Amino acid sequence: MRRIVSGVALIAASAVLLHGCAAGGGPAATGDAGEPVEGGDFVSALYLEPRGLDPHRQVFWETYRVSRHIFEPLVQEDLTQTEGVPDLQPALAESWESSDDGRTWTFTLRQDATFHDGSRFDAEAVHQNVQRVWDEDYEFYDEEAAGRLQVWFGNLSEAQPVDDFTYEFTFSEPFLGFPRILAQSMYTLPIGNPAVWEEHGNDAFADQPEGTGPYRFVSRAIGDRIELERNEDYYGDRPYLDTLTFRIIPNNQTRVASLLNNEVDHISYVQPDDVETLENAGFNVPEGTGAQLIYLSFNYDNPQLQDERVRKALIHGLDREALAEQVFNGYASPQYSFLPPGNEAYDPAVRDFEYDPEAARELLADAGYEPGELHFNLVVDVANENLAQWLQDAYGQIGVETEIVSLDRVSYSARVYNSEEGDGLSLDEFGETNAEWLFNGYNGLTGRGLDQDDYPEVTEAIQEALYTDDEDARIQQWQEAEALLRENALVIPAVNLTRYYATGPNVQGFTFASTNWYDLSTVWLSE
Amino acid sequence: MGTVKRIGWRLLLMLPILALVSVLAFLIGVLTPGDPIEAQYANRFTAEQLDQIRATYGLDLPLWQQYFVWLKNVAVDGGGISIVLGVPVFDILGPNFLNTLILTLGGVVACVVFGMAIGATAGIFHRTWIDRAVMLIVQIGSNLSIYWFGLVLIIVFSLQLQWLPVGGMQSRNGGGFADLLAHLVLPSLAAGLISMLVLARFVRIGIIHEVGTEHFKTFASQGIPRWKLYGKHVGRNILPSAVNITGLEIGTLITGVIFVESVFNWPGIGTQLLNAVNGKDYPVIQGGILLVAACYLVVNLLTDITVDSLNPRLRRA
């Protein structure tokens, strides 16, 4: 989350001196300032270097926040929605329907879309995209992309064009969640221009990415910036901004300072300490809920934590409202479900093992630990040291001794994959809007030492929900699977960040959508 | 020995050093904690698939073989392919390395200009309050964190006074040499800070020493104006050691540049190395270290040549 250095306070102080009065908390979407005007160059500052701009290989939200303006999926989510589950909308497919058994999905494609080189988008183009990630006999079959998409396309048994603008997927199992998965960012199938990989090869695609989107790729300087320009031939609503530049500014203080100094118009991953500074200086820090969850993972290689009573005690011992208030300055909401807000199966009413230090102490005594007898390491990225200190104090109150192991980012991820004796909890961040995400999240726990065979009922419930053919029961099945996971105390959901982006005073039409990315084609600059 | 011969000899000596450096760079990359393939692909692939990917990067070979494969990559294949970004290493490091050189040059200029000026001021006004005041500032400055100093520069000159940009190399409407210079000022000051203060101390001591010599006193007693003495005799005598110190300090400066790049978002090799370390991107780490080390060796060579040419005794020999 953040790293406290004296600089933050200094920047805060200076910004207040510089700009004076307050502007107040904003809604999820920036307000109207008259009629939208066309034109202008928009600069966004990302907190991470995006990975390759390849629709089938991409990982990281920051990558997709750039690439989704270049590539379009068949189905998209409504990014003007700021709350709840975003509706599905037509993108390159005008409509879609499934067979009664939920195994075959037929997409009717739009007929007026063209790729950035002017070539026609049609069912054959979709087919080449599918072949690239699925058909080992295809000349440009891409093993890397196929490996990534395996998680959702592993059961794809047949895929072919029905006619010029109709395409059909058939899975060996029912797959009711398919359309929303097509609208996600990673391990899925946004449509790239096949002519590019057929001419330059799969590895070179990311150097000259082409799709059908409202913006086209201009240039990329690694470590510095990615530049896009408006696609004048776009079939949809004409975007307002002439160019989009994504600058890469990993340093939190510098990113904020660049916004304060009007060198950029928009930043990602606002730190809780900077929200007030920015608002006082007249910048917008829209409030919202992304489909994102910060959670604590148990180290299942540690025998102490294989005891369900201990895990429950650690959940009971955590006051998540206080955590959100004290560590995140109130710019986060406490979470009790492993499904993040914005997820189809998210139920804000569910509770796991609520804050109850007395119950925690009893569970620990029951498990055979006198106060002070249970001790383990809190393994954190150095940026989260303040959160770890807060946890150490909280767990001290239920008689659990913890030692903070604060590591740089590299050593942190190495350490959680290959834990050491005595390691107890680590911190993760993930989430998507599709209910099937639970399958991803659950698989992710195996990277923390969880053996899914130890929890057969959870594993089965997830498999069942994944392959259900009953549309009416689907969401409920996922909720039941999540409830089982929660009752087994397999993970500690912590918080969802409610301030994530900030925009300059003249940025209009930006929406903090209830997913993990945004649409800049509706944004315009006033003045 | 003639100058040409000396330079030739130095160049020859660089070869074994470079070989040693290449081994070290290789090992540092490989011994970085964590596994790049796991970091990238874990949870999505089976163990066999991971092994397969490792094989495509040659990570299944014995270390010594990996070393020679890497050497070959460096020599003919653009340093190998970045595991994270999937493009040749020197395509990533090349442009960024140039940016780092620009910033280093800026740092050197700041170091020389301010270092000399500060040192000369303190030296010339030795035993006055000016000397004491300057030396107090030097003392404090030498103990500042570059990271913190960079933030203070941003707050004062960018956010408060709004004279200079916060970060990057170009304005949003981009371009031009003047624009680049504007972006270069603050990072150069931050990068050059520690070195300029080291240099200032040497210059000050040098002046104090020269002013105390018999020949200086003799000239001074003959009524030659002080400014002439400082320029012609003192300056000339302390110049070689000033150059030497500056040359040595470039090493310190390059280390600092990595932090400066982060604070000022300068798209240089330091940022790339940090990213590479975060992604356990061996080829980029190795290529980056090799580049920086080679650069250091070249700077050392140039410093020696400059010192030689500033010293008439060596030139005649």
Side-chain angles (χ1 to χ4, degrees), chain B:
Chain B
M1 236 186 309
T3 310
V4 178
K5 227 174 169 181
R6 289 173 64 88
I7 295 173
W9 183 238
R10 294 280 316 207
L11 277 173
L12 220 74
L13 256 178
M14 270 174 73
L15 289 178
I17 299 176
L18 258 180
L20 190 70
V21 164
S22 75
V23 173
L24 283 177
F26 173 77
L27 285 179
I28 290 173
V30 177
L31 299 178
T32 312
D35 175 319
I37 305 301
E38 257 177 37
Q40 274 263 90
Y41 303 102
N43 292 344
R44 299 276 157 248
F45 291 101
T46 62
E48 292 106 71
Q49 280 172 311
L50 289 181
D51 286 340
Q52 215 171 7
I53 300 175
R54 278 193 192 96
T56 61
Y57 286 101
L59 296 173
D60 56 338
L61 299 173
L63 268 193
W64 67 270
Q65 274 186 30
Q66 285 189 39
Y67 171 70
F68 285 107
V69 169
W70 174 67
L71 272 193
K72 191 202 114 206
N73 284 342
V74 169
V76 296
D77 273 342
I81 300 287
S82 155
I83 295 176
V84 171
L85 291 159
V87 292
V89 168
F90 291 146
D91 284 4
I92 302 173
L93 292 180
N96 287 293
F97 187 60
L98 184 69
N99 295 342
T100 295
L101 285 184
I102 294 172
L103 176 53
T104 309
L105 191 70
V108 172
V109 170
C111 162
V112 171
V113 171
F114 288 96
M116 293 286 229
I118 295 168
T121 311
I124 291 169
F125 295 100
H126 184 47
R127 288 184 212 285
T128 69
W129 67 270
I130 297 178
D131 180 28
R132 282 191 291 274
V134 170
M135 286 320 287
L136 179 70
I137 294 169
V138 168
Q139 249 338 309
I140 295 170
S142 307
N143 290 298
L144 290 182
S145 128
I146 293 185
Y147 191 93
W148 184 86
F149 182 64
L151 283 175
V152 171
L153 286 179
I154 288 178
I155 290 161
V156 175
F157 292 101
S158 303
L159 295 183
Q160 299 275 15
L161 299 171
Q162 306 219 305
W163 289 350
L164 293 161
V166 171
M169 285 181 75
Q170 65 186 70
S171 300
R172 48 164 78 220
N173 302 320
F177 187 64
D179 186 52
L180 175 66
L181 280 186
H183 283 81
L184 192 56
V185 175
L186 295 184
S188 297
L189 276 176
L193 174 74
I194 303 294
S195 302
M196 83 175 61
L197 299 181
V198 171
L199 180 64
R201 285 211 192 89
F202 271 90
V203 170
R204 171 177 174 270
I205 300 273
I207 290 176
I208 293 170
H209 173 79
E210 288 295 326
V211 169
T213 55
E214 293 303 324
H215 71 265
F216 185 93
K217 286 181 188 157
T218 312
F219 287 141
S221 67
Q222 286 169 350
I224 301 174
R226 284 239 159 188
W227 60 268
K228 245 184 187 168
L229 283 176
Y230 282 121
K232 252 193 152 161
H233 297 279
V234 177
R236 183 98 203 208
N237 279 335
I238 62 171
L239 203 54
S241 55
V243 172
N244 237 332
I245 295 296
T246 309
L248 283 176
E249 279 301 312
I250 289 177
T252 318
L253 215 140
I254 291 176
T255 327
V257 158
I258 293 184
F259 295 100
V260 173
E261 283 179 3
S262 163
V263 179
F264 293 94
N265 197 44
W266 191 266
I269 199 171
T271 315
Q272 283 317 306
L273 275 176
L274 273 181
N275 281 345
V277 168
N278 279 335
K280 290 153 213 167
D281 198 343
Y282 295 174
V284 176
I285 299 173
Q286 292 162 338
I289 294 175
L290 193 65
L291 266 181
V292 172
C295 179
Y296 191 65
L297 289 178
V298 170
V299 167
N300 258 332
L301 178 71
L302 292 178
T303 312
D304 282 357
I305 295 171
T306 316
V307 171
D308 287 1
S309 60
L310 284 174
N311 188 334
R313 281 166 298 190
L314 282 175
R315 220 179 313 162
R316 271 195 303 271

Side-chain angles (χ1 to χ4, degrees), chain A residues 218-235:
Chain A
V218 176
S219 67
R220 174 172 192 174
I222 286 172
D224 185 22
R225 64 186 60 216
I226 297 171
E227 293 179 318
L228 312 183
E229 65 182 9
R230 180 170 42 221
N231 173 10
E232 298 294 344
D233 304 319
Y234 187 54
Y235 62 85

Side-chain angles (χ1 to χ4, degrees), chain A residues 437-448:
Chain A
W437 175 80
L438 190 70
F439 174 62
N440 264 353
Y442 184 53
N443 285 344
L445 298 181
T446 59
R448 304 289 177 265

Side-chain angles (χ1 to χ4, degrees), chain A residues 11 22 77 97 105 108 111-112 116 119 164 199 216 234 241 249 256 274 288 354 357 371 376 419 444 457 472 509:
Chain A
I11 285 193
E77 290 179 324
E97 57 177 5
W105 282 95
T108 305
Q111 306 197 1
D112 53 356
H116 294 152
S119 60
D164 270 7
E199 191 180 337
R216 57 172 84 224
Y234 187 54
L241 300 162
I249 311 188
V256 170
D274 296 330
E354 282 185 271
F376 56 76
S419 64
E457 41 170 14
D472 298 330

Side-chain angles (χ1 to χ4, degrees), chain A residues 369-409:
Chain A
Y369 296 102
E370 291 299 313
E373 276 186 4
L374 176 65
H375 45 89
F376 56 76
N377 299 329
L378 294 171
V379 186
V380 292
D381 180 330
V382 69
N384 293 317
E385 217 175 77
N386 57 330
L387 192 147
Q389 283 160 355
W390 188 92
L391 275 178
Q392 186 176 44
D393 182 51
Y395 283 146
Q397 289 171 26
I398 57 166
V400 175
E401 305 277 322
T402 50
E403 193 171 324
I404 296 172
V405 179
S406 172
L407 302 165
D408 62 89
R409 237 169 99 183

Side-chain angles (χ1 to χ4, degrees), chain A residues 460-487:
Chain A
E460 269 164 39
I462 286 177
Q463 292 292 325
E464 220 165 279
L466 194 57
Y467 300 129
T468 185
D469 60 358
D470 184 350
E471 178 59 47
D472 298 330
R474 174 173 157 260
I475 295 300
Q476 200 190 336
Q477 286 187 10
W478 281 111
Q479 288 174 339
E480 282 164 12
E482 194 275 333
L484 280 173
L485 191 150
R486 184 157 27 88
E487 281 157 22

Side-chain angles (χ1 to χ4, degrees), chain A residues 54-97:
Chain A
D54 183 315
H56 312 132
R57 293 181 177 186
Q58 63 190 6
V59 284
F60 289 174
W61 294 331
E62 289 289 61
T63 310
Y64 191 60
R65 285 168 189 153
V66 177
S67 77
R68 68 166 302 284
H69 296 95
I70 306 172
F71 316 119
E72 292 176 301
L74 295 177
V75 180
Q76 67 186 5
E77 290 179 324
D78 182 355
L79 298 185
T80 62
Q81 263 175 265
T82 58
E83 267 175 55
V85 188
D87 293 334
L88 290 181
Q89 287 182 332
L92 286 174
E94 283 172 338
S95 63
W96 51 93
E97 57 177 5

